[in-house]
Amino acid sequence: MDAVKRLPVAVIGAGPVGLAAAAHLLERGLEPLVFETGTTAGAAIEQWRHIRLFSPWRFNLDAAALRLLEPTGWEPPRPTALPYGGELIDNYLAPLAALPQVASRLQTGARVIAVTRQGLDKTHVKDRDTTAFTVRVEHADGETRDHTVAAVIDASGTWSRRNPLGTSGLPAIGEEAAADRISAPLPDVTGRDRAAFAGRRVLVVGAGHSAANTLISLADLAKEEPDTRILWAVRGASAGKVYGGGDADGLPARGQLGARVRRLVEAGKVELHTGFGISSLKTLPSHVAVEAVDGRTLEADVVIPCTGFRPDLNILRELRLNLDPAIEAPLELGPLIDPEFHSCGTVPPHGAKLLAHPDKDLYIVGMKSYGRAPTFLLATGYEQVRSVVAALAGDQEAADTIQLELPDTGVCSTDAGTSCDVPAPASANAESAGSGCCAAPEPVFIGFPTGLAHGRSGTS
Ligand SMILES: Cc1cc2nc3c(=O)[nH]c(=O)nc-3n(C[C@H](O)[C@H](O)[C@H](O)COP(=O)(O)OP(=O)(O)OC[C@H]3O[C@@H](n4cnc5c(N)ncnc54)[C@H](O)[C@@H]3O)c2cc1C
């Protein structure tokens, strides 16, 4: 058993939370082994580097990471500024990943394809808790290798798994075949990806913040490229959720964003199709025909899916997990973040205890720990990994002492738009919020609290 404890701790993903886990492990004298499928740290954020965060710098930096960076002469960003995704990478993640003590433990181009207990499949219980993990990795050299580790921290995010366009949680018939006509979830339509959208019929699908921001960017593009046609399909009977309260909205930035989208629709610049639950996509030589359950069809050159994300649980299939059946977050966390029932600020800070699974020393953290809920915040993830690493180091007291300060300006959902979980002004506890939520200036991602006061049974 002691021999197992001396093995490295695998961290899956070198996003902000995975790198923070590595920093905490180093600080505790544990050996991180970080596997990142992309070619650089922050590979998922690289895809949305043109998007501005809604939380300011001071909530986007991990304390242990700062303790590694500060002695190197690294220049901290202005704490109150709202960084773009690209700035989060260039000014924080890249310098952190480049530190010799981190770089030497980070393997890029290394995709984790499975995790199990060494020599034990899921059905075997004997000695399970004291058996090492095997992490199977496809490496950049084309080889697949097994790595033996003491513990696993899965910080692989959800970016690679967007929700399908089809209703019922399944891909629409023909969706996979139409892949060439479906863009990434948050394309840079006025910048890097402009050519794919300029002068084309673009169908935006979804009623969250990705959709709102994308529609506004497309409208900007259409000013310069007048042949650009913008179609917008939402499943609900109206786009009211996106519009929010307009100028009277309690959350000004949200109101402004919604009001801008409403004006675009009213001016005929965005063609809105409500009640459009997608059943199939037919790929034709020059375009794709997107069909609704009720038989209506929209023709588009390219479709932008703004349908939210879900975790990839396949890599953990041989492990014993305890997940909320709806949200796919750790069982006890699920009810606290279920967007069907929760509005801003209802997520208490949490750590190793809440994140534990029946398979000891396995933790899902970061964006992935929120499963299908869209309200994860970096500050939450940094506290998760501080607590998890303390638990792995045997410091149960530190693991159980949760210390979390959350943003007091902006928060919220990144998509799928039903809730946001933040602002607890000047409080160490994430309870409260509501009216102060989402108040950051544009262009940022802001959340749409549902305003629902009730919860699932047994939750608030
Ligand atoms: C547009 C947008 C704006 C956001 N704005 C904010 C904000 O303002 N404030 C805030 O607090 N939060 C914000 N979030 C939410 C959240 O903080 C971010 O998504 C953040 O990137 C999550 O960090 P993470 O480390 O958990 O996951 P990620 O950043 O997604 O990192 C996961 C890493 O794991 C890698 N990976 C995936 N699968 C594997 C595998 N099988 N093997 C190896 N590596 C793998 C990925 O390549 C990636 O680098 C935003 C999210 C989005 C999408």
Side-chain angles (χ1 to χ4, degrees):
M1 183 180 166
D2 280 351
V4 171
K5 284 211 152 132
R6 282 195 291 274
L7 291 169
V9 174
V11 178
I12 309 176
V17 179
L19 285 184
H24 284 275
L25 287 163
L26 287 169
E27 205 166 53
R28 290 258 178 197
L30 298 174
E31 185 62 27
L33 188 51
V34 186
F35 300 111
E36 166 54 52
T37 188
T39 51
T40 53
I45 296 174
E46 189 61 49
Q47 302 302 306
W48 51 271
R49 64 158 40 240
H50 55 289
I51 304 278
R52 201 173 202 171
L53 277 80
F54 49 74
S55 55
W57 270 112
R58 77 185 184 92
F59 294 106
N60 303 330
L61 305 170
D62 173 71
L66 287 183
R67 289 190 285 273
L68 288 181
L69 282 165
E70 274 163 356
T72 66
W74 170 80
E75 294 249 338
R78 189 160 56 85
T80 52
L82 298 171
Y84 283 89
E87 292 172 314
L88 189 68
I89 297 175
D90 300 342
N91 300 345
Y92 172 57
L93 297 178
L96 179 59
L99 293 175
Q101 60 273 53
V102 178
S104 58
R105 277 112 174 165
L106 168 61
Q107 303 192 18
T108 53
R111 187 167 77 94
V112 172
I113 54 172
V115 185
T116 188
R117 288 276 182 185
Q118 196 176 37
L120 299 177
D121 70 32
K122 199 174 191 167
T123 63
H124 284 81
V125 70
K126 189 168 178 297
D127 297 332
R128 209 171 166 83
D129 283 358
T130 52
T131 300
F133 289 86
T134 296
V135 179
R136 181 160 294 178
V137 182
E138 279 177 3
H139 286 277
D141 60 7
E143 296 290 322
T144 298
R145 291 190 281 278
D146 283 346
H147 300 262
T148 306
V149 296
V152 175
I153 299 176
D154 183 352
S156 59
T158 56
W159 179 262
S160 64
R161 294 263 154 154
R162 69 160 174 85
N163 285 325
L165 293 171
T167 51
S168 319
L170 300 180
I173 304 281
E175 185 170 335
E176 279 104 346
D180 287 352
R181 296 216 169 253
I182 302 174
S183 81
L186 279 165
D188 184 1
V189 301
T190 53
R192 182 186 58 192
D193 307 315
R194 182 185 173 108
F197 303 95
R200 313 193 79 192
R201 286 169 299 177
V202 184
L203 171 61
V204 176
V205 179
H209 315 102
S210 300
N213 280 284
T214 302
L215 290 165
I216 289 167
S217 298
L218 283 169
D220 288 342
L221 175 66
K223 280 186 205 149
E224 292 165 19
E225 303 277 356
D227 288 341
T228 310
R229 202 175 136 210
I230 310 167
L231 310 169
W232 179 25
V234 301
R235 210 162 30 172
S238 84
K241 201 170 76 173
V242 175
Y243 297 157
D247 293 338
D249 199 293
L251 309 174
R254 179 184 61 183
Q256 282 166 25
L257 187 72
R260 282 178 74 183
V261 175
R262 183 195 284 273
R263 281 196 295 275
L264 290 172
V265 171
E266 287 171 355
K269 293 183 173 157
V270 169
E271 194 183 297
L272 171 64
H273 298 268
T274 55
F276 202 95
I278 296 174
S279 61
S280 68
L281 279 78
K282 194 183 240 169
T283 307
L284 300 162
S286 61
H287 66 278
V288 61
V290 181
E291 194 171 277
V293 179
D294 63 10
R296 281 177 291 163
T297 300
L298 293 173
E299 297 188 338
D301 298 311
V302 56
V303 179
I304 303 181
C306 301
T307 45
F309 300 90
R310 56 179 61 173
D312 175 8
L313 298 170
N314 287 339
I315 61 172
L316 304 176
R317 196 176 159 73
E318 274 314 304
L319 295 173
R320 296 179 177 202
L321 304 179
N322 213 6
L323 295 176
D324 180 89
I327 304 301
E328 298 181 329
L331 189 65
E332 288 183 47
L333 182 57
L336 305 176
I337 57 176
D338 186 339
E340 286 266 306
F341 301 106
H342 287 276
S343 58
C344 289
T346 54
V347 184
H350 54 271
K353 233 177 211 161
L354 202 85
L355 297 169
H357 290 280
D359 250 317
K360 192 171 172 291
D361 297 337
L362 162 73
Y363 294 96
I364 302 172
V365 299
M367 189 78 181
K368 187 169 181 174
S369 71
Y370 270 40
R372 294 184 183 212
T375 49
F376 174 76
L377 287 171
L378 288 170
T380 304
Y382 296 151
E383 180 57 10
Q384 288 179 338
V385 293
R386 186 205 60 76
S387 170
V388 161
V389 171
L392 291 175
D395 186 349
Q396 203 53 49
E397 193 186 336
D400 293 344
T401 309
I402 305 301
Q403 318 147 355
L404 183 61
E405 189 198 0
L406 285 169
D408 58 3
T409 53
V411 170
C412 310
S413 118
T414 55
D415 205 340
T418 46
S419 69
C420 59
D421 84 358
V422 173
S427 161
N429 190 312
E431 306 294 346
S432 91
S435 62
C437 187
C438 313
E442 284 191 80
V444 296
F445 268 56
I446 55 173
F448 291 173
T450 59
L452 291 175
H454 60 283
R456 302 199 298 204
S457 61
T459 68
S460 64

